[in-house]
Amino acid sequence: MSSTLLEVTRSAHEEVERLERLIVKELQTDPSSNKDRLFQSHRVHHMIDTITVTTEKLVDIYEDKDNARKDEIAALGGQTATGTNVFSAFYDRLKEIREYHRRHPAARVVDPNEDFEALLKEEPLIEFSGEEAFGRYLDLHELYNQYINSKFGDHIDYSTYLNVFSQPHKIPRKLKLTRQYKEYIENLLEYLTYFFQRTEPLQDLDRIFSKLITEFEEQWENGLIEGWEGEGQGNGLVPDWHAVIDLDYYNSVEELMVVGPEKLKEALAALGLKSGGTVQQRAERLFLTKDTPLEKLDKKHFAKGSRGQEQNGVSAVNSFKEIALMEAKINKLCELLEETVDRTKDNIVKKQALTYEEIEAEREEEDTQADTESDDDDQQIYNPLKLPMGWDGKPIPYWLYKLHGLGQEFKCEICGNYSYWGRRAFERHFKEWRHQHGMRCLGIPNTKNFNEITSIEEAKELWKRIQERQGVNKWRPDLEEEYEDKEGNIYNKKTYTDLQRQGLI
């Protein structure tokens, strides 16, 4: 192998330069769709990985720990142990190179002018589930089922879960100290990491997490981690039970027994210790932790299945910290995937308002748009259903068109037979300037009484009836003005006047 070491070095340098040129050429192309962008990113990522591996091999060659490179260079000058001359060394070397290329035909000399367009058109195999729609949406159904079937989760629907899965710090701390929660957090972090690596292959997630861990360590020491406030202060840990019982105030088991059985049980359970027995036994077990670290306690003091038993007495500090760090990573990934999370929420809400046939039609439409999507402004927009145009200059989705009833026309005679499309636009127009202007021209006030009235004749007829009703309700003194006689009898003005004339009162 040493006889062809320089040829391997030359070939490796050539491979690195060739891949660098391909990356530059690849990134000069602006992808026309999300699918093309993903393919481009994965091709570049694969080439970068190849460059990294090749460079590591070159570093090993140049370090020359076994002096193989040094010996081969010396052999080129005829400086061999056998004392052969320069010409013999040259022909021997030429023979070795020819033999090497005969055995390794792939290691041929590459023409720098050769075209590698085929490599830039390869479509990498990227695994996405049907629900993920090639990286457009998250597929959290499995994690959702794990959440709602756990003690720490609530019985909520999937759309609500999408609003809370990114906030694990809001789950009560006492519910997190279980193996079930740890498994859930591990699975959630694993999925989000894998999804991010598939959709953003050029992002350096290791560097992002490295910076996150540095910030986390500082916040943990100061007890500032959200949902874990107080943890990590002092010598590693201020346990949850410390807020209930501060052992510094107790000098004996007898003094600690005054706290009561329930609080002792709470404190022991928080540490993963056995919480049964009499008050004295509980106090004795808890008092052991005053001067003895948890990792040095006998395993018999830990409850079966608790974190203390599982970790064979290892300090609970590491367990708390590990869970808190995973939560911090999940929060960071949710920030990086914020647009995808929002898109997933909108997609679920949309699906809940659609029939199966409409969902299939929408999926076909998305596939068609994905295949024909282009940034060319002059490209003719395909709109056979004549859907209204959205804010992005493209037809709005068919499900939105159906949801708002935009295929239904409403005409208003008061507005000059102007057409309004969709019930929402029709209801809104009664407060708009065009309708108000028409009502003023008719001499009719634009009140709530005239909502849904679009005919001029109907509006005039209703206004006439309102005026008549208002006329009946006008103040009529002869009938409604009250008078009282000496005996306290009440009469209206007309009756009182008639009785007075007759001398009856």
Side-chain angles (χ1 to χ4, degrees):
M1 181 67 184
S2 62
S3 61
T4 57
L5 193 61
L6 293 181
E7 180 61 21
V8 171
T9 305
R10 182 206 63 76
S11 178
H13 278 292
E14 185 178 49
E15 179 73 6
V16 169
E17 291 179 7
R18 181 173 67 86
L19 290 173
E20 287 176 349
R21 288 196 298 270
L22 283 174
I23 290 174
V24 172
K25 191 170 185 178
E26 177 74 270
L27 294 178
Q28 286 176 341
T29 305
D30 193 13
S32 59
S33 66
N34 181 61
K35 188 175 183 179
D36 291 340
R37 183 192 68 81
L38 269 180
F39 284 154
Q40 182 190 72
S41 299
H42 278 272
R43 283 195 295 265
V44 172
H45 181 260
H46 177 68
M47 287 188 279
I48 290 175
D49 284 346
T50 305
I51 289 175
T52 303
V53 172
T54 306
T55 304
E56 288 174 353
K57 291 180 181 178
L58 284 171
V59 170
D60 291 338
I61 292 173
Y62 284 118
E63 286 180 352
D64 201 18
K65 293 179 180 179
D66 57 357
N67 292 323
R69 182 170 179 272
K70 182 178 179 181
D71 292 343
E72 187 166 350
I73 293 174
L76 288 177
Q79 302 173 9
T80 63
T82 59
T84 55
N85 58 33
V86 176
F87 293 104
S88 298
F90 170 77
Y91 287 112
D92 290 342
R93 177 65 180 160
L94 180 61
K95 182 179 178 181
E96 290 174 359
I97 291 176
R98 286 174 175 171
E99 181 65 20
Y100 171 82
H101 282 287
R102 187 185 64 78
R103 294 196 309 267
H104 303 89
R108 60 187 176 82
V109 177
V110 180
D111 185 357
N113 298 319
E114 189 173 349
D115 192 7
F116 291 94
E117 289 295 329
L119 294 176
L120 303 181
K121 294 179 181 179
E122 291 180 355
E123 294 187 357
L125 178 61
I126 313 171
E127 295 182 354
F128 285 108
S129 67
E131 187 70 22
E132 289 173 335
F134 217 81
R136 285 182 57 80
Y137 313 117
L138 294 170
D139 183 5
L140 297 172
H141 287 85
E142 187 175 341
L143 291 158
Y144 162 70
N145 290 329
Q146 189 177 350
Y147 176 84
I148 62 174
N149 292 309
S150 65
K151 293 182 179 179
F152 57 84
D154 299 323
H155 292 284
I156 55 178
D157 57 24
Y158 184 63
S159 59
T160 307
Y161 173 74
L162 292 174
N163 292 320
V164 301
F165 84 93
S166 60
Q167 303 167 348
H169 56 272
K170 292 187 177 180
I171 297 175
R173 193 184 310 184
K174 63 182 180 180
L175 299 177
K176 298 180 180 181
L177 308 179
T178 61
R179 177 186 293 179
Q180 191 181 36
Y181 178 78
K182 187 176 181 181
E183 289 178 355
Y184 165 75
I185 286 295
E186 288 174 347
N187 293 338
L188 179 58
L189 177 59
E190 181 182 0
Y191 172 77
L192 292 177
T193 302
Y194 183 48
F195 183 87
F196 186 79
Q197 290 172 341
R198 285 178 292 160
T199 54
E200 299 292 340
L202 296 182
Q203 290 275 9
D204 191 347
L205 194 57
D206 291 336
R207 181 178 296 179
I208 294 173
F209 279 166
S210 176
K211 183 179 179 182
L212 172 71
I213 292 172
T214 303
E215 297 173 354
F216 173 83
E217 292 289 347
E218 182 179 352
Q219 292 178 352
W220 177 263
E221 289 299 324
N222 296 325
L224 300 177
I225 301 297
E226 189 174 5
W228 299 89
E229 288 82 357
E231 301 289 351
Q233 290 179 334
N235 295 324
L237 177 68
V238 179
D240 190 34
W241 55 266
H242 200 282
V244 181
I245 301 176
D246 188 351
L247 296 181
D248 291 338
Y249 291 101
Y250 302 93
N251 298 315
S252 66
V253 174
E254 289 73 18
E255 293 180 9
L256 189 57
M257 289 171 60
V258 180
V259 172
E262 290 304 319
K263 287 192 175 181
L264 288 171
K265 183 178 180 180
E266 247 181 81
L268 289 167
L271 283 173
L273 299 173
K274 293 180 179 178
S275 55
T278 63
V279 177
Q280 182 175 354
Q281 288 173 335
R282 294 178 185 179
E284 288 174 351
R285 200 176 300 125
L286 182 59
F287 197 75
L288 290 173
T289 64
K290 180 176 181 179
D291 300 314
T292 307
L294 285 176
E295 62 268 21
K296 294 184 179 180
L297 281 180
D298 195 320
K299 297 178 185 179
K300 67 180 181 180
H301 295 300
F302 290 93
K304 187 177 180 180
S306 70
R307 62 180 184 281
Q309 183 71 19
E310 291 169 2
Q311 297 174 3
N312 296 321
V314 177
S315 175
V317 182
N318 296 332
S319 179
F320 293 168
K321 190 174 180 181
E322 183 182 0
I323 293 174
L325 179 57
M326 286 192 289
E327 291 179 354
K329 289 181 177 179
I330 288 172
N331 288 333
K332 184 63 178 179
L333 285 169
C334 288
E335 289 179 13
L336 297 172
L337 295 169
E338 184 178 3
E339 291 185 8
T340 305
V341 174
D342 292 340
R343 201 159 49 231
T344 305
K345 294 176 186 176
D346 295 340
N347 183 50
I348 294 301
V349 173
K350 177 187 72 175
K351 282 185 175 181
Q352 291 174 345
L354 296 179
T355 64
Y356 176 77
E357 290 75 14
E358 289 172 334
I359 292 175
E360 288 298 317
E362 180 70 16
R363 183 174 296 175
E364 290 178 5
E365 183 181 349
E366 285 182 356
D367 293 340
T368 303
Q369 288 181 352
D371 294 336
T372 60
E373 186 180 11
S374 175
D375 292 335
D376 187 2
D377 295 332
D378 297 331
Q379 183 179 4
Q380 184 177 0
I381 296 175
Y382 182 69
N383 187 16
L385 299 178
K386 302 188 185 310
L387 300 174
M389 306 304 287
W391 60 270
D392 56 354
K394 297 180 181 179
I396 64 172
Y398 183 70
W399 67 267
L400 187 62
Y401 175 82
K402 294 285 288 184
L403 180 65
H404 292 295
L406 298 181
Q408 190 175 6
E409 181 183 15
F410 297 88
K411 283 193 175 184
C412 181
E413 188 181 1
I414 298 173
C415 296
N417 288 322
Y418 191 85
S419 295
Y420 296 94
W421 295 92
R423 182 72 191 176
R424 186 178 179 185
F426 173 69
E427 292 176 353
R428 189 187 300 163
H429 100 278
F430 289 105
K431 297 180 181 179
E432 294 177 349
W433 66 270
R434 184 179 284 105
H435 191 82
Q436 291 176 351
H437 176 71
M439 294 293 281
R440 280 197 299 270
C441 292
L442 295 175
I444 302 174
N446 189 27
T447 63
K448 290 184 178 179
N449 297 321
F450 295 91
N451 278 6
E452 304 293 330
I453 302 297
T454 57
S455 170
I456 294 176
E457 291 302 322
E458 290 181 6
K460 288 181 177 180
E461 184 65 26
L462 179 58
W463 176 236
K464 184 178 179 181
R465 290 201 300 268
I466 291 175
Q467 285 180 317
E468 289 175 355
R469 188 167 61 249
Q470 288 177 346
V472 171
N473 294 331
K474 285 184 179 179
W475 172 259
R476 291 176 294 176
D478 56 334
L479 297 177
E480 299 180 8
E481 193 172 359
E482 295 180 343
Y483 289 84
E484 183 179 356
D485 62 9
K486 293 180 181 180
E487 296 179 0
N489 299 316
I490 304 297
Y491 308 96
N492 58 39
K493 183 178 181 180
K494 185 177 182 301
T495 305
Y496 183 84
T497 305
D498 291 342
L499 293 174
Q500 196 176 39
R501 286 199 194 100
Q502 296 174 19
L504 299 177
I505 54 175

